[in-house]
Amino acid sequence: MTKSALIWGINGGIGAGLRQRLTVEDWQVAGTVRQAGLIQPGSALVFEADVANPVAVQHVVRAIAQEIEQVDWWIYAAGDILSKPFADTPPEEWKRILDANLHGVFSALHFSLPLLSKECPVYILGAVSERMRLPGLSAYAAAKAGVEALGEVLRKELRRTVVVVRPGAVDTRLWQKVPFRLPPSALSADQTAEKIWQAYINNWREPFLDI
């Protein structure tokens, strides 16, 4: 029986890498992008949804449910970053980062729950949060710390595998938004996606996946 994956943020670096890997493995892949113009051609079922809008998320989950019977692997790979001093951060920009990295996880998973198979693991893209508590990253650091706390509660409530993926430096478009030099040890998005895939096929059950 063909397995199905749902990737929120399927057009980002890591999301796209997972899409490609799962396609090679003959999975049925559904995913979301924030804007239709960002959709890249491929074999996945791609839907437009702004994770900051719970109503839009609910509608897109209903549309996905018309295409796939159940989800065997649920992945939240959407996100955004902002580098700006706290005192200079307007409320709307703070909200944008929290929406993309934390509030979106709630909406996406909340409405997806009826689609998840009994054994479906939930993977949420976090960060090595203690390393990201740097000047200028207050919103991002707060969101990723919240993801880790949320993951702990979800494991207890949902009684299923919930993994917060904590990559180090990954060479994606997000790095163009921060004034930090990409370290030589940085992984490509495809390398990161491969490590996440290997964790899945090896039945990773620990709360965190440090990459």
Side-chain angles (χ1 to χ4, degrees):
M1 181 178 178
T2 301
K3 287 190 172 184
S4 298
L6 174 53
I7 304 173
W8 295 82
I10 199 171
N11 212 50
I14 296 173
L18 286 166
R19 177 193 68 199
Q20 294 168 3
R21 190 67 172 89
L22 290 169
T23 299
V24 169
E25 299 294 330
D26 293 324
W27 280 55
Q28 182 182 25
V29 181
T32 70
V33 294
R34 185 172 56 86
Q35 296 177 353
L38 300 177
I39 296 175
Q40 296 294 326
S43 57
L45 300 167
V46 182
F47 301 82
E48 180 180 349
D50 182 356
V51 296
N53 184 340
V55 174
V57 171
Q58 184 178 26
H59 287 168
V60 82
V61 170
R62 288 174 179 170
I64 292 169
Q66 299 300 312
E67 302 292 339
I68 59 177
E69 183 176 348
Q70 67 176 17
V71 173
D72 299 296
W73 189 13
W74 190 95
I75 305 160
Y76 190 91
D80 201 356
I81 197 168
L82 173 71
S83 178
K84 185 173 287 188
F86 178 81
D88 298 332
T89 302
E92 61 271 19
E93 290 195 355
W94 174 275
K95 182 177 183 300
R96 174 172 60 84
I97 300 305
L98 270 291
D99 282 342
N101 296 290
L102 179 58
H103 300 158
V105 178
F106 165 78
S107 295
L109 185 56
H110 178 79
F111 292 113
S112 297
L113 283 176
L115 284 178
L116 306 191
S117 68
K118 183 178 179 180
E119 301 299 327
C120 174
V122 169
Y123 277 52
I124 305 169
L125 191 63
V128 185
S129 61
E130 62 269 21
R131 297 181 188 175
M132 300 306 295
R133 295 170 189 174
L134 302 173
L137 296 184
S138 58
Y140 186 79
K144 293 303 186 181
V147 164
E148 295 197 2
L150 176 62
E152 182 175 355
V153 174
L154 290 175
R155 282 186 290 274
K156 297 171 182 176
E157 287 193 7
L158 303 181
R159 297 186 181 276
R160 67 170 68 239
T161 299
V162 178
V163 178
V164 175
V165 180
R166 304 197 303 180
V170 182
D171 189 3
T172 67
R173 290 192 298 267
L174 286 187
W175 273 91
Q176 299 172 13
K177 297 184 175 184
V178 295
F180 309 126
R181 181 178 299 176
L182 188 68
S185 60
L187 299 178
S188 69
D190 286 346
Q191 288 173 321
T192 305
E194 179 63 26
K195 287 180 177 292
I196 296 172
W197 166 250
Q198 290 298 324
Y200 171 83
I201 63 175
N202 286 299
N203 200 28
W204 183 271
R205 294 189 180 276
E206 297 300 316
F208 301 111
L209 175 62
D210 292 328
I211 298 176

